[in-house]
Amino acid sequence: QVQLVESGGGLVQAGGSLRLSCAASGRTVSSYAMGWFRQAPGKEREFVASITWSGNIYYGESVKGRFTISRDNAKNTVYLQMNSLKPEDTAVYYCAAAQRWTTILSTADVSSWGQGTQVTVSS
């Protein structure tokens, strides 16, 4: 079982950038499919981005062209670079992991979750 710890959240003005990090322990990120989800108050948890074990990358429609997911196997860390942030990006962001043969596109694909990090974008 992999343990996931997110960091990098905070308060930023609209148009700004943040980079979230997800540090994994217990197993290496190269052994897993990894992803990011977000959940705003009163809304369901939403798929943001994922990267498969082989390096294929997927994005949710609302973040395409603005967010970038990447993985550093040497640091056992997955990143989410968020640019051109909008107030509607405000949410708790969760790191997710799944077995290596999985493509993460929904919460049903996830086997491990981080505790979440708050991102707030002011207008």
Side-chain angles (χ1 to χ4, degrees), residues 58-117:
Y58 302 87
Y59 294 102
E61 285 297 324
S62 61
V63 306
K64 279 184 179 178
R66 300 187 298 123
F67 290 11
T68 303
I69 188 172
S70 61
R71 180 177 62 202
D72 187 330
N73 293 336
K75 294 184 178 180
N76 220 27
T77 300
V78 176
Y79 302 98
L80 184 69
Q81 177 66 44
M82 306 185 295
N83 298 329
S84 301
L85 282 162
K86 305 175 182 180
E88 51 263 44
D89 295 318
T90 295
V92 177
Y93 283 70
Y94 296 90
C95 183
Q99 296 298 320
R100 63 190 295 172
W101 55 82
T102 304
T103 298
I104 296 175
L105 295 174
S106 74
T107 57
D109 301 319
V110 177
S111 56
S112 298
W113 293 98
Q115 84 288 352
T117 185

